[in-house]
Amino acid sequence: MPAEWVDFKSVMAKVSMETVLSHYDVRLRRVGADEFRGKCPLPTHSSARSNDSFSVSFTRNVWSCRSASCIAARSGRVGGNVVGFVAEMERCSIQEAARRLDRSLTENLLPRATPGSKEPVPYASENRPLSFTLRNIDHQHSYVISRGLSAETARYFGVGYYDGNGFLRGRVVIPIHNEYGKLVAYSGRSIDEAEPKYRLPAGFRKSHVLFNLHRAIQSRGDTVILVEGFFDTFKTHQAGHHNVAALMGSKLSDRQAELIGTYFDQVILMLDADKAGKAATAAAGKTLSSVLSVQIVELASGTQPDQLASEEIHQLLGGLDHGVPTPDR
Ligand SMILES: [Zn+2]
């Protein structure tokens, strides 16, 4: 247990890049709808030539510096969130930066953001953690097996058939967590052709989370593999690639882009190879390439990751530079 507990989430929600930049007297100019650029203020920046390598998105509350020597001096990290920025400026650990920011907030050391500036993401829009968990889930139900999941994978993700009461009765339930690992919803997949295919609780905002993000973060790489659905995630994980997260659809939301930019330096898009998936790959690639490096996995036309065998997934991802996959636990 750390001696002084700091709530990263509340620090990041309360402190904007705008506030921190003004604290360090960093001036940037607008170059796009949500992109500001200028001279890099970091102590790791040594190149005199790159006068415009530092870039900030105030909407996503993230920064990056594209100078190769600056990136190398930061152990290969291209950018990060507001806490990471303070850690670089102060040359301290992330934990210490969060502690300092937290202290600054309570002691009003940081200047307030200028009036009319972007508000941080409001708490009201967050999905609240659930106060219950479902019990008696059958991880070895025939539907789960028919989708190619091993009992180990099903148990790991908590996926299985639910025979209890309520709107998920008679469906295969999938627990969804926020980036801090807090359970925020269950999705229920029909096991026959019953519509809707997936049920989610009323009011749940799936565009505000990425499925499996908390585990992808824990895999401690700088790269995330982004897929569309739950079963794509399960199969990719089962193939030995644990740094996988899902959009729960084909559209990348602003909040999801922000989450990816906050936790990773690189993203591998492995969306479905149908019309919607290809359009989504193009759109997501465009959005994400402004904050981190993007690689695209091309599946055979008409296929999607959940239909592939472990070896096929491994082959598709194997050639890409995203570190050695962690062994199955
Ligand atoms: Zn720099």
Side-chain angles (χ1 to χ4, degrees), residues 268-271 273 278 281 295-301 303 308 316 320:
I268 296 171
L269 298 176
M270 191 165 67
L271 308 185
K278 284 175 185 172
T281 299
Q295 295 189 73
I296 292 166
V297 169
E298 302 231 8
L299 302 185
S301 194
T303 60
L308 303 178
L316 284 165
L320 296 170

Side-chain angles (χ1 to χ4, degrees), residues 40 42 45 53 65 67 70 74:
C40 176
L42 300 174
H45 199 92
S53 59
C65 172
S67 155
C70 191
R74 282 180 274 115

Side-chain angles (χ1 to χ4, degrees), residues 31 34 61 97 118 156 184 199 219 222 240 243 274 286 326:
V31 294
D34 181 39
N61 219 24
K118 283 259 185 300
Y156 178 80
V184 288
R199 270 196 183 144
S219 71
D222 59 357
N243 52 333
D274 56 10
K286 193 167 170 237
T326 41

Side-chain angles (χ1 to χ4, degrees), residues 206 210-211 225-233 244-251 256 269-281 303-305:
K206 69 173 182 177
L210 284 160
F211 176 66
I225 302 160
L226 194 62
V227 295
E228 284 191 27
F230 300 118
F231 285 86
D232 303 320
T233 309
V244 55
L247 294 171
M248 297 186 282
S250 60
K251 196 178 173 295
Q256 288 173 329
L269 298 176
M270 191 165 67
L271 308 185
D272 297 358
D274 56 10
K275 209 176 157 200
K278 284 175 185 172
T281 299
T303 60
Q304 49 195 66

Side-chain angles (χ1 to χ4, degrees), residues 39-47 50 53-54 63-71 74 78:
K39 202 169 177 339
C40 176
L42 300 174
T44 47
H45 199 92
S46 56
S47 166
S50 49
S53 59
F54 187 74
W63 61 274
S64 66
C65 172
R66 297 265 155 199
S67 155
S69 57
C70 191
I71 292 169
R74 282 180 274 115
V78 177

Side-chain angles (χ1 to χ4, degrees), residues 141 143 160-173 188-192 194 199:
H141 186 267
Y143 178 83
Y161 183 75
Y162 178 63
D163 198 19
N165 295 315
F167 80 110
L168 295 170
R169 181 189 174 84
R171 288 180 169 247
V172 162
V173 292
R189 173 70 164 87
S190 67
I191 59 167
D192 42 36
R199 270 196 183 144

Side-chain angles (χ1 to χ4, degrees), residues 29-204:
R29 63 192 169 80
R30 182 192 282 272
V31 294
D34 181 39
E35 192 187 2
F36 292 77
R37 272 181 180 268
K39 202 169 177 339
C40 176
L42 300 174
T44 47
H45 199 92
S46 56
S47 166
R49 279 179 300 139
S50 49
N51 265 327
D52 210 29
S53 59
F54 187 74
S55 165
V56 170
S57 156
F58 290 119
T59 311
R60 293 195 293 271
N61 219 24
V62 293
W63 61 274
S64 66
C65 172
R66 297 265 155 199
S67 155
S69 57
C70 191
I71 292 169
R74 282 180 274 115
S75 316
R77 291 196 76 85
V78 177
N81 58 36
V82 66
V83 179
F85 179 76
V86 171
E88 294 293 350
M89 289 300 283
E90 305 279 328
R91 291 184 177 271
C92 66
S93 69
I94 293 280
Q95 286 73 16
E96 178 56 26
R99 259 193 296 276
R100 288 186 195 179
L101 278 172
D102 197 37
R103 214 176 300 136
S104 316
L105 286 170
T106 48
E107 292 168 13
N108 277 324
L109 295 178
L110 284 174
R112 296 169 65 102
T114 44
S117 66
K118 283 259 185 300
E119 292 289 316
V121 181
Y123 281 118
S125 70
E126 299 276 320
N127 294 303
R128 298 230 172 135
L130 299 183
S131 53
F132 63 91
T133 51
L134 298 179
R135 284 161 188 270
N136 300 322
I137 292 167
D138 178 7
H139 301 302
Q140 297 194 65
H141 186 267
S142 55
Y143 178 83
V144 177
I145 295 169
S146 76
R147 296 293 301 265
L149 266 61
S150 70
E152 194 191 357
T153 302
R155 218 173 291 120
Y156 178 80
F157 285 98
V159 179
Y161 183 75
Y162 178 63
D163 198 19
N165 295 315
F167 80 110
L168 295 170
R169 181 189 174 84
R171 288 180 169 247
V172 162
V173 292
I174 300 152
I176 302 170
H177 302 79
N178 63 18
E179 72 265 39
Y180 307 103
K182 291 268 190 291
L183 178 69
V184 288
Y186 284 94
S187 177
R189 173 70 164 87
S190 67
I191 59 167
D192 42 36
E193 293 310 302
E195 293 289 336
K197 245 203 260 186
Y198 286 97
R199 270 196 183 144
L200 280 164
F204 176 70

